[in-house]
Amino acid sequence: MNYDLKHSSTPLNLSIENLSQAIFVVNRHAKTATNPRFLYKLKQEALKKLIEEDKAKKVGLHFSGNPKNSQQQSDVLVTCGRYTFHIPPIRTDFTELPHLGKLDNQVRNPKASLSLNTAKTILQSYTGILETDQHSSSKKPEHQIYKKPVFKKLGERY
């Protein structure tokens, strides 16, 4: 965590502009992170809370640029301040929102001047979600005992 944010006596500025910048920075870093699950969860929960508070608005559906297993997949376009984001749709989005077709690659978000640590701190204080060390349980033990391979004769069972 950033030293200035930890030890500052002033509370974080949770304006729509700061929150949307923080979401933008977290989203940009999540795309290249080795374990992006927490960053995407932070983004999605912050946007969900902003939509519930009427500080962000769902605009419509876009075809996804990178569909998973299907030929076509849609994402919800959300505007928050001067920024736009995509989140996964829920069932009611398909009936309530207009479909905007393909994503326009000419539209870009403005640059943000926040560090990742500052952005994470802002979103964590806004959503209440804290980062836990989830991927530590999937690591191999440091000192693994070597076991000799077992070979069986053809047609034999162990």
Side-chain angles (χ1 to χ4, degrees), residues 69-83:
N69 298 326
S70 61
Q71 295 280 332
Q72 287 183 339
Q73 181 178 336
S74 294
D75 294 324
V76 176
L77 179 68
V78 177
T79 60
C80 180
R82 298 181 303 146
Y83 293 83

Side-chain angles (χ1 to χ4, degrees), residues 133 135-141:
D133 196 17
H135 58 298
S136 64
S137 62
S138 65
K139 288 183 182 176
K140 292 182 179 177

Side-chain angles (χ1 to χ4, degrees), residues 38 84 134:
F38 172 71
T84 58
Q134 296 170 348

